[in-house]
Amino acid sequence: MSGTAGEPWDAVVVGAGLSGLVAARCLRRCGRSVRVLEARSRVGGRTLTVPFAGGVADLGGQWVGPTQKRVLGLAAELGVATYPQHHQGRKVLELDGRRRTYRGFLPRLPIFSLLELALALRRLDRRAKAVPLDTPWTAPDAARLDRQTFGDWLRRNLRRRPSRELLAAACRAIFACEPEDLSLLYFLHYAHAGDGLECLASIPAGAQESRLRGGAQQLCQRLAEELGDAVWLEAAVAAIDQDEARVRLRLADGRRLAARCAILALAPALAAGIAIEPPLPPPRRELETGMAMGSVVKCLVAYDEPFWRRAGLSGEAVTNGRPASIVFDACAPDGAYAALVAFVLGDEARAFGRLPEAARREAIVAQLVRLFGPPAAAATAYLDRDWRAERWSGGCYVGLMPPGLLRRAGDALRAPCGRLHFAGTESARRWVGYLDGAIEAGERAAHEVLERLAEEGGLV
Ligand SMILES: Cc1cc2nc3c(=O)[nH]c(=O)nc-3n(C[C@H](O)[C@H](O)[C@H](O)COP(=O)(O)OP(=O)(O)OC[C@H]3O[C@@H](n4cnc5c(N)ncnc54)[C@H](O)[C@@H]3O)c2cc1C
């Protein structure tokens, strides 16, 4: 690439999601010059807070849990308060059209299904704990675990349909994909990184314990405010080349800039859209082409009042029906609106996303009537977001690994390639796929760059 204009920055960060903004702030605070290049006309990436029913609502990431110390610390530092996710009341489980309500973590299934489910959860958690967070490919029996999908494991280990269907629904809820899409080793690593399956699937003491008052995107907006004009919007990076001294970046609109290092703070599947010279090593390229994003349409439905609470229901539902797999209470903390949030996930999201908006609304409202009763028909507002249709996300919540990939290419998630470093929640050690993981990865990549710059001394 020739004709690079402007001064060489110490570092350029590609992507103004949480990971990239944290990395940039870390570099800036250590006295380094930095630019953040963001393809969209907004910061926040997979966080997105929008006006809804007289208040605001999150169409992207929204929950934080008690062991997610990084995101809780950042929220406190930035003055973004948390509030508890509503969970009081009975939950709804609907399997194969049969609806029941329950309290606690495990639903009321027929006794043998319940035993099978409890045993399966124990086995999965035990196996997950044996998968090293840093090097999951060194887990005992890694080759066998990585050859099969989570779907294979379900078929082999759960003989009863209710327990199998419930764990498949949990897989959709946590990963936004089908059990057949996911390597078992990757599933176990993700579960370990998120403090176990119960923590991943729970509200109290779990990953859904709290929400951020005013919305999760504020974290990114406040970081971007601090960074000021270092953040460039509508600055999609099209190509990068590097030699021993510099990284040169070309934007889609033809602008060019140079830096001593760059951090790609985006999902591997998105990094695949950038032409990089010299080509990245084969394992890194395999990650970028192999880690497909999950499929989720997040749907918000507003009501005049939280009628489900009056009926003794928490608003939480798990179902193997269509189109949504899980539902939660989504009322605004200040009483601005009452709402439920429904997640359409995996294969179903692909079909649902193709429907016109009126049909999507009708299908979701009809399902809420089945789950929560006739008052659910009186929806006052509807809003959804198909993350597969988002060019600069390509799906959500996270990039996923099919069988074989973690062993073949897992070590390329974090390994720098020349002057290119990698952040983004996919490269986290803990809370992979979550806001907390995005922060961890941003901090780690920033420290790698700081060390390199310190070793090299002044401008090269
Ligand atoms: C519906 C949904 C629900 C979720 N729920 C939760 C939750 O409750 N709790 C939780 O912790 N997490 C949740 N997540 C996940 C969480 O939002 C993500 O883990 C986190 O936001 C990822 O941040 P990131 O910075 O790693 O990546 P991103 O936010 O994806 O940031 C990458 C950025 O790079 C930009 N970009 C892409 N390509 C280019 C290019 N070529 N040039 C320049 N810029 C580019 C993108 O526009 C984007 O802004 C959810 C996500 C979704 C979508």
Side-chain angles (χ1 to χ4, degrees):
M1 210 185 289
S2 61
T4 301
E7 61 184 296
W9 307 98
D10 285 328
V12 165
V13 177
V14 182
L18 189 55
S19 202
L21 292 166
V22 163
R25 186 178 75 152
C26 192
L27 290 163
R28 168 76 84 78
R29 284 187 170 179
C30 292
R32 295 299 177 176
S33 62
V34 63
R35 285 293 174 270
V36 184
L37 306 178
E38 168 54 49
R40 287 175 161 108
S41 54
R42 63 168 180 86
V43 299
R46 286 173 262 180
T47 62
L48 175 61
T49 307
V50 295
F52 178 66
V56 294
D58 277 316
L59 282 174
Q62 67 174 42
W63 285 294
V64 293
T67 61
Q68 299 175 352
K69 300 295 183 206
R70 285 188 169 82
V71 67
L72 290 172
L74 182 67
E77 187 194 335
L78 295 174
V80 179
T82 60
Y83 64 98
Q85 164 69 33
H86 178 82
H87 68 277
Q88 289 77 12
R90 300 180 74 77
K91 305 176 196 176
V92 174
L93 171 70
E94 185 203 46
L95 283 182
D96 298 332
R98 177 151 178 242
R99 178 188 179 279
R100 55 203 122 192
T101 63
Y102 66 103
R103 288 181 195 278
F105 181 59
L106 292 181
R108 278 191 358 222
L109 295 179
I111 185 69
F112 288 114
S113 297
L114 191 60
L115 283 173
E116 189 177 60
L117 176 66
L119 204 65
L121 286 170
R122 266 230 322 261
R123 284 179 63 193
L124 286 169
D125 266 331
R126 215 177 38 233
R127 292 202 147 215
K129 281 196 189 114
V131 176
L133 293 179
D134 264 339
T135 53
W137 49 90
T138 64
D141 222 3
R144 200 175 57 81
L145 297 175
D146 204 24
R147 254 197 310 272
Q148 55 189 306
T149 66
F150 180 58
D152 296 331
W153 189 88
L154 285 181
R155 269 188 303 279
R156 279 198 209 110
N157 291 278
L158 288 117
R159 290 178 41 224
R160 288 163 204 282
R161 184 170 163 85
S163 43
R164 210 169 49 230
E165 284 295 302
L166 197 67
L167 272 184
C171 172
R172 283 185 205 103
I174 293 168
F175 295 91
C177 73
E178 299 300 320
E180 285 70 28
D181 299 335
L182 216 52
S183 142
L184 179 59
L185 182 62
Y186 184 74
F187 175 98
L188 295 170
H189 176 251
Y190 200 95
H192 190 190
D195 290 343
L197 287 172
E198 182 162 352
C199 181
L200 283 170
S202 295
I203 296 178
Q208 285 70 235
E209 186 176 79
S210 306
R211 291 161 62 191
L212 296 160
R213 196 175 282 268
Q217 195 185 357
Q218 284 175 106
L219 298 179
C220 296
Q221 288 160 337
R222 291 187 188 186
L223 289 169
E225 270 165 32
E226 186 179 326
L227 288 161
D229 60 10
V231 180
W232 296 6
L233 299 178
E234 298 180 359
V237 173
I240 299 178
D241 77 37
Q242 60 168 328
D243 55 29
E244 305 79 56
R246 290 275 189 279
V247 177
R248 285 169 289 271
L249 300 98
R250 179 169 55 75
L251 306 193
D253 61 12
R255 279 178 289 171
R256 289 162 194 271
L257 67 168
R260 296 171 66 190
C261 297
I263 296 176
L264 298 190
L266 26 84
L270 271 293
I274 302 175
I276 298 183
E277 285 294 336
L280 298 177
R284 176 70 209 180
R285 294 212 310 271
E286 201 180 345
L287 269 191
E288 295 187 351
T289 50
M291 276 187 89
M293 301 298 288
S295 303
V296 53
V297 186
K298 184 170 176 179
C299 313
L300 290 157
V301 187
Y303 293 97
D304 281 335
E305 53 170 352
F307 62 87
W308 56 94
R309 293 187 186 180
R310 272 195 290 103
L313 298 172
S314 66
E316 188 178 346
V318 180
T319 168
N320 66 351
R322 301 174 59 200
S325 299
I326 43 166
V327 182
F328 291 90
D329 183 298
C331 295
D334 52 6
Y337 58 79
L340 291 167
V341 59
F343 292 81
V344 183
L345 300 159
D347 286 349
E348 193 60 37
R350 289 181 243 267
F352 184 77
R354 283 198 290 270
L355 299 174
E357 185 186 320
R360 297 198 304 271
R361 174 179 173 144
E362 197 185 330
I364 290 291
V365 169
Q367 188 181 28
L368 294 178
V369 169
R370 290 198 303 276
L371 294 169
F372 297 104
T380 54
Y382 175 85
L383 188 64
D384 67 18
R385 176 67 48 129
D386 178 0
W387 284 89
R388 276 170 49 84
E390 291 274 314
R391 175 174 178 193
W392 301 110
S393 295
C396 275
Y397 326 110
V398 62
L400 301 163
M401 292 212 191
L405 191 57
L406 188 50
R407 279 187 73 242
R408 282 199 307 272
D411 61 350
L413 271 173
R414 289 185 285 274
C417 298
R419 293 181 170 274
L420 290 186
H421 296 254
F422 300 100
T425 191
E426 283 77 6
S427 69
R429 293 177 168 90
R430 293 207 67 228
W431 289 107
V432 180
Y434 288 74
L435 299 167
D436 201 74
I439 297 172
E440 182 213 285
E443 289 173 351
R444 189 248 319 133
H447 284 116
E448 287 169 8
V449 168
L450 287 169
E451 264 175 35
R452 173 193 285 270
L453 295 176
E455 272 166 25
E456 290 176 351
L459 276 177
V460 281

